[in-house]
């Protein structure tokens, strides 16, 4: 493998002064091409010494067909030195022409790696590679010398170029400044650099070139060396980039967004692009911002925030951590209060490195106001709910108190009802118990008055008659009391309960047992156990007592009263009270149930004609009926129905939810 070489090319004049240097030369020697221009060759080349260089320069002047080759040492940018070969290249534009005529020479310096043998590289290098330039020498605008590269650039052979003037190559609109610049340098010496458009043969579109011009002595007279560099491609890509940035800018501006693009972090985050939206948002002129470092821009932005110190920490902290992504809300100073949503994120290049940041700002005042309003109304709703819960608690407590009160009221009501009932019962029982002996006292008194028990004198008669009147008054009073007690009993609301009929029957029989016995009337009951009824027990008891009372009252002495019951089909139980008394005439059968009606030979003082009417009303309240069959002189049969407790018959409590009784009451 041949040793690797680096090359640099210099254009020097006959005194050894560098007229132009290639970019390779500049790179090797650690400077800009322009820095090399004006340097003396022996300042760059150490060895084999000043004499050698002088001799070399002389050899240039003497060189004819074959250019000389010289081994030299050059100073390097890093401060070291390197071995190199020095070539003089043939001047293509003046092929065959003696070099000393040219007054300039192109030197190629090949830097050797290691101690490789000097190589003759002549002919394999484009002399136009001096800083990538095509070289022309002009005098009075006429082209007097042209390098091959210039021929390549213009499309005109180097030999023909020397028949033209610079005016033939420059686009008309650029001609005047170009000619003026060339003339000034030819006259005054020095250097200049400018751009113009260069015509090319066979191409309609001119090339964009940059000309570096230096005054030289050419064949004993003043001339200019013009190095032309094609920058069309760079310009195109620069224009393309500019257009892209303009498009991007236009798109961002059209979006109304406030965007700042920051460039290369190592360059201090310069502002690359700033949209008008930023200017509007912050009410600042942003036209001068691009190119300025972010810190300068920050000094403008900082006082605008409502907490500048905090913001400073956040922003500069973010730049210290270039990978940080941040989205937050920030307040602006001044009134009315405004809230910005701010986001900042790194931008990455194709290789993943950070090439800048994109910062956007958006006014979210209205949005955050709406959010705040929402939060406020939620808070109010929460408070209202809490208050409501408090009220609810109070209501619950009040309700509890109310329920307690209601319970107490119920108990009081219950005991009141019990008292009322007790009073009625007392009244009824006392009246009944008083009435029965009074009736028999009356009968006895009458008997005595009639003389059935012996002679009665006038005084005795008068006393007995007084006694009889008083007895009748007493009986009247007691009847009134009884009527009152019965009416009260009737007014009581129904208290339905499930109870065994035989128990109630036994209780009723017990009430009338005494009066039956006093008249030797037999009392027979045949109520099967297990018949359960669903009714107001007190009221059914009253009906039974009344019917039994009548059966005794309207019976003959030594007669019989029979009571039985049967579980009839359907919903009711049928109860029968039979007697062997006076009986009731057929025409009176319906009337006896009317209030105050007494029929047949009912003795005065035996009744008030109310008992059956009340019994019928009490049964009607239960939805039940009473009827009578009778045969005058033989006896009567009263039949009535009572609602059956069918659930109890199946073993289920029928009173669930109505009374604490779990099963039929047994007496
Ligand atoms: P009181 O018996 O107080 O007169 P009731 O309403 O109980 O009132 O009876 C109405 C009438 O019906 C009685 O006066 C009587 O004439 C007749 N009566 C009631 N029960 C019988 C009975 N078992 N036998 C014959 N007559 C009766």
């Amino acid at each position: 493998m041949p040793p690797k070489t680096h090359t640099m090319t210099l254009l020097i004049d006959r005194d050894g002064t560098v007229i132009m240097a290639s970019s390779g030369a500049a790179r090797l020697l650690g400077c800009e091409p322009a820095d090399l221009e004006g340097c003396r060759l022996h300042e760059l080349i150490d060895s084999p010494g000043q004499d050698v260089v002088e001799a070399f320069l002389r050899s240039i002047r003497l060189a004819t067909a074959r250019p000389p080759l010289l081994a030299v040492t050059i100073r390097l940018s890093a401060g070291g030195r390197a071995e190199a070969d020095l070539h003089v290249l043939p001047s293509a534009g003046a092929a065959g022409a003696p070099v000393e005529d040219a007054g300039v020479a192109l030197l190629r310096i090949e830097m050797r790696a290691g101690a490789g043998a000097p190589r003759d590289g002549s002919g394999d290098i484009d002399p136009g590679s001096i800083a990538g330039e095509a070289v022309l020498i002009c005098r009075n605008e006429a082209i007097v010398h042209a390098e091959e590269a210039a021929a390549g650039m213009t499309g005109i052979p180097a030999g023909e170029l020397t028949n033209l003037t610079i005016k033939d190559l420059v686009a008309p609109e650029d001609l005047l400044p170009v000619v003026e610049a060339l003339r000034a340098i030819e006259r005054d010496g020095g250097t200049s650099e400018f751009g113009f458009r260069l015509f090319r043969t066979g191409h309609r579109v001119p090339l964009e070139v940059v000309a570096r011009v230096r005054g030289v002595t050419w064949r004993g007279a003043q001339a200019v060396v013009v190095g032309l560099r094609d920058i069309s491609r760079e310009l195109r890509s620069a224009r393309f980039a500019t257009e892209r940035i303009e498009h991007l800018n236009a798109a961002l501006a059209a979006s109304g967004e406030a965007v700042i693009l920051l460039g290369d972090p190592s360059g201090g985050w310069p502002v690359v692009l700033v949209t008008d939206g930023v200017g509007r948002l912050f009410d600042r002129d942003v036209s001068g911002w691009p190119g300025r470092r972010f810190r300068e821009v920050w000094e403008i932005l900082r006082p605008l925030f409502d907490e500048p110190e905090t913001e400073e920490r956040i922003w500069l902290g973010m730049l210290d951590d270039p990978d940080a992504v941040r989205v937050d809300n920030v307040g602006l100073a001044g009134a009315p209060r405004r809230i910005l949503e701010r986001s900042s994120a790194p931008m990455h290049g194709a290789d993943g490195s950070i090439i800048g940041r994109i910062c956007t700002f958006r006014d979210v005042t209205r949005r955050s106001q709406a959010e705040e309003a929402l939060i406020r109304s939620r808070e109010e709703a929460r408070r209202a709910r809490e208050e409501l819960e408090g009220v609810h608690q109070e209501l619950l407590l009040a309700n509890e108190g109310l329920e307690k009160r209601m319970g107490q009221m119920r108990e009081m009501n219950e005991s009141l009802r019990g008292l009322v009932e007790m009073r009625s019962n007392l009244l009824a029982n006392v009246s009944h118990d008083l009435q029965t002996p009074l009736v028999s006292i009356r009968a006895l008194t009458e008997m005595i008055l009639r003389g059935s028990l012996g002679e009665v004198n006038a005084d005795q008669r008068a006393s007995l008659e007084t006694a009889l009147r008083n007895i009748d008054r007493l009986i009247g009073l007691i009847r009134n009391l009884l009527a009152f007690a019965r009416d009260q009993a009737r007014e009581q609301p129904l208290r339905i309960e499930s109870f065994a009929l035989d128990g109630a029957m036994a209780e009723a029989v017990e009430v009338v047992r005494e009066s039956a016995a006093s008249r030797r009337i037999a009392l027979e009951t045949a109520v099967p156990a297990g018949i359960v009824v669903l009714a107001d027990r007190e009221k059914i008891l009253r009906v039974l007592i009344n019917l039994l009372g009548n059966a005794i009252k309207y019976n003959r002495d030594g007669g019989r009263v029979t009571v039985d019951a049967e579980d009839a089909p359907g919903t009711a139980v049928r109860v029968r009270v039979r007697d062997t008394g006076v009986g009731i005439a057929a025409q009176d059968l319906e009337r006896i149930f009317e209030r105050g009606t007494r029929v047949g030979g009912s003795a005065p003082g035996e009744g008030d004609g109310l008992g059956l009417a009340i019994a019928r009303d009490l049964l009607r309240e239960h939805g039940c009926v009473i009827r009578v069959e009778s045969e005058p002189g033989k006896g009567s049969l009263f039949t009535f129905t009572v609602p059956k407790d069918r659930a109890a018959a199946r073993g289920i409590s029928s009173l669930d939810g109505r009374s604490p009784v779990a099963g039929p009451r047994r007496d």
Side-chain angles (χ1 to χ4, degrees):
M1 203 171 136
K4 187 174 165 65
T5 59
H6 300 279
T7 60
M8 60 181 197
T9 308
L10 302 169
L11 178 68
I12 58 169
D13 65 13
R14 62 178 68 230
D15 300 323
T17 303
V18 178
I19 298 172
M20 287 187 187
S22 70
S23 53
R27 208 162 39 242
L28 273 173
L29 299 170
C31 54
E32 293 292 315
D35 296 338
L36 292 173
E37 291 164 10
C39 287
R40 306 281 293 180
L41 189 59
H42 55 73
E43 291 173 31
L44 305 173
I45 296 171
D46 252 6
S47 68
Q50 184 70 33
D51 300 344
V52 178
V53 175
E54 290 298 326
F56 174 73
L57 290 174
R58 271 198 307 281
S59 76
I60 293 173
R61 287 198 283 272
L62 296 173
T64 51
R66 189 168 178 79
L69 175 70
L70 190 66
V72 293
T73 304
I74 58 166
R75 300 185 188 113
L76 293 178
S77 58
R81 285 170 162 68
E83 296 296 306
D85 298 330
L86 205 60
H87 302 259
V88 176
L89 301 183
S91 174
V99 173
E100 67 267 31
D101 282 352
V104 293
L106 282 172
L107 301 186
R108 191 181 72 177
I109 301 170
E110 281 190 352
M111 203 179 84
R112 286 171 293 172
R119 284 164 8 106
D120 182 359
S122 61
D124 65 352
I125 192 147
D126 177 6
S129 66
I130 294 176
E133 287 167 351
V135 178
L136 296 170
I137 296 176
C138 305
R139 179 184 291 142
N140 282 334
E141 288 99 53
I143 299 168
V144 293
H145 178 81
E147 297 294 338
E148 196 54 54
M153 189 181 278
T154 56
I156 302 168
E160 288 179 30
L161 272 173
T162 49
N163 297 327
L164 300 175
T165 69
I166 195 80
K167 293 177 186 168
D168 298 318
L169 302 179
V170 181
E173 58 270 33
D174 294 336
L175 190 58
L176 200 61
V178 169
V179 168
E180 276 180 1
L182 292 182
R183 281 182 187 162
I185 290 179
E186 193 173 318
R187 184 179 64 239
D188 307 328
T191 61
S192 178
E193 185 169 322
F194 50 84
F196 67 90
R197 270 158 292 181
L198 177 89
F199 279 127
R200 290 180 296 167
T201 304
H203 290 83
R204 294 184 62 184
V205 182
L207 275 185
E208 297 280 356
V209 295
V210 168
R212 283 201 297 151
V213 187
R214 168 175 286 271
V216 292
T217 306
W218 173 256
R219 290 181 182 164
Q222 287 294 101
V224 286
V225 175
V226 181
L228 297 174
R229 188 158 58 88
D230 179 3
I231 57 160
S232 302
R233 191 175 295 167
E234 292 161 38
L235 264 184
R236 267 201 304 278
S237 59
R239 273 193 208 118
F240 182 61
T242 310
E243 273 170 22
R244 278 177 59 176
I245 287 177
E246 276 169 3
H247 282 154
L248 182 65
N249 208 353
L252 288 172
S255 73
E257 296 285 338
V259 180
I260 302 178
L261 288 187
L262 302 181
D264 183 15
S266 62
W269 302 99
V271 174
V272 174
L273 186 151
V274 54
T275 64
D276 296 340
V278 176
R280 279 197 300 275
L281 195 62
F282 293 108
D283 194 21
R284 289 290 180 279
D285 177 10
V286 297
S287 57
W289 288 15
R292 293 166 79 172
R293 293 179 173 203
F294 177 72
R295 266 182 189 275
E296 292 174 52
V297 168
W298 171 245
E299 287 307 318
I300 301 169
L301 285 180
R302 195 170 70 98
L304 306 180
F305 295 107
D306 61 357
E307 284 181 43
E309 300 314 314
T310 314
E311 286 311 307
E312 173 121 343
R313 275 204 306 281
I314 292 173
W315 274 93
L316 302 182
M318 178 190 72
L319 296 182
D320 286 345
D321 176 10
D323 245 336
V325 176
R326 174 176 289 276
V327 180
D328 58 8
N329 284 4
V330 58
L332 284 183
R337 183 173 158 73
R338 282 197 301 155
I339 309 289
L340 298 188
E341 184 191 78
R342 168 182 65 185
S343 76
S344 169
M347 296 188 295
H348 294 96
D351 61 351
S353 63
I354 291 171
I355 56 168
R357 286 193 85 82
I358 178 164
C359 307
T360 63
F361 303 89
R362 189 170 299 154
D363 192 333
V364 292
T365 311
R366 286 178 66 183
R367 194 177 76 189
S368 60
Q369 276 170 351
E371 280 170 1
E372 277 171 19
L374 197 70
I375 290 168
R376 268 203 306 278
S377 59
R378 274 197 196 134
E379 183 59 25
E380 278 166 18
R382 191 185 59 76
R383 248 183 275 133
R385 199 176 57 227
E386 273 175 10
E387 276 174 27
L388 218 63
E389 274 171 10
V391 171
H392 185 230
Q393 285 299 330
E394 281 171 22
L395 268 174
L396 280 181
L397 282 177
N399 202 27
E400 256 174 47
L402 217 62
E403 274 183 3
K404 215 187 282 174
R405 280 287 161 81
M406 272 171 69
Q408 288 169 348
M409 295 275 281
R410 257 199 303 275
E411 277 170 24
M412 277 169 64
N413 210 17
E414 201 67 18
S415 52
L416 262 176
R417 205 206 308 254
L419 281 174
V420 168
E421 208 167 289
M422 222 160 76
R423 191 188 63 180
S424 301
N425 287 345
L426 188 75
L427 217 56
N429 292 343
V430 168
S431 308
H432 189 272
D433 290 349
L434 281 175
Q435 190 183 26
T436 309
L438 269 177
V439 167
S440 72
I441 289 168
R442 188 182 192 282
L444 279 172
T445 312
E446 266 188 334
M447 232 164 80
I448 295 167
L449 262 177
R450 275 201 303 271
S452 309
L453 300 178
E455 215 42 47
V456 181
N457 63 31
D459 288 343
Q460 287 170 332
R461 177 172 296 278
S463 298
L464 283 173
E465 280 171 354
T466 306
L468 202 61
R469 276 199 301 278
N470 283 336
I471 289 166
D472 281 344
R473 261 181 53 214
L474 267 179
I475 289 173
L477 274 173
I478 288 163
R479 276 196 197 126
N480 285 343
L481 278 175
L482 265 174
F484 178 69
R486 282 169 183 160
D487 277 347
Q488 274 205 332
R490 218 166 31 142
E491 281 165 12
Q492 294 294 319
L494 277 183
R495 288 170 64 198
I496 300 294
E497 60 181 317
S498 176
F499 61 93
L501 189 60
D502 57 347
M505 190 64 79
E507 201 175 318
V509 166
E510 206 49 48
V511 172
V512 299
R513 185 176 299 285
E514 195 53 47
S515 60
S518 68
R519 295 181 53 211
R520 292 174 288 103
I521 293 168
L523 261 176
E524 293 168 14
T525 53
V527 177
I531 294 183
V532 181
V533 293
L534 199 58
D536 185 324
R537 192 172 187 277
E538 283 307 315
K539 290 185 175 178
I540 296 300
L541 204 56
R542 288 201 177 281
V543 172
L544 278 172
I545 291 170
N546 186 268
L547 291 180
L548 288 174
N550 281 354
I552 292 164
K553 198 160 47 177
Y554 301 110
N555 216 320
R556 56 183 167 81
D557 291 349
R560 189 169 54 247
V561 175
T562 319
V563 193
D564 64 16
E566 61 173 359
D567 193 352
T571 58
V573 173
R574 192 178 299 129
V575 182
R576 286 187 289 241
V577 180
R578 195 189 300 270
D579 66 65
T580 55
V582 292
I584 304 156
Q587 70 273 14
D588 295 328
L589 284 177
E590 282 306 311
R591 289 179 54 226
I592 55 169
F593 293 105
E594 288 166 16
R595 193 166 285 264
T597 304
R598 312 196 70 229
V599 299
S602 303
E606 283 181 335
D608 52 17
L610 288 174
L612 284 178
I614 292 170
R616 187 187 57 182
D617 288 349
L618 294 177
L619 288 169
R620 271 183 184 162
E621 276 188 73
H622 287 82
C624 296
V625 290
I626 183 166
R627 55 194 173 82
V628 61
E629 296 161 54
S630 187
E631 201 177 330
K634 288 211 168 159
S636 309
L637 170 65
F638 284 85
T639 309
F640 67 93
T641 55
V642 192
K644 217 190 287 189
D645 187 353
R646 287 183 294 172
R650 293 195 303 268
I652 306 164
S653 168
S654 57
L655 288 168
D656 288 347
R658 276 188 285 159
S659 138
V661 178
R665 174 171 156 184
R666 300 293 315 175
D667 299 284

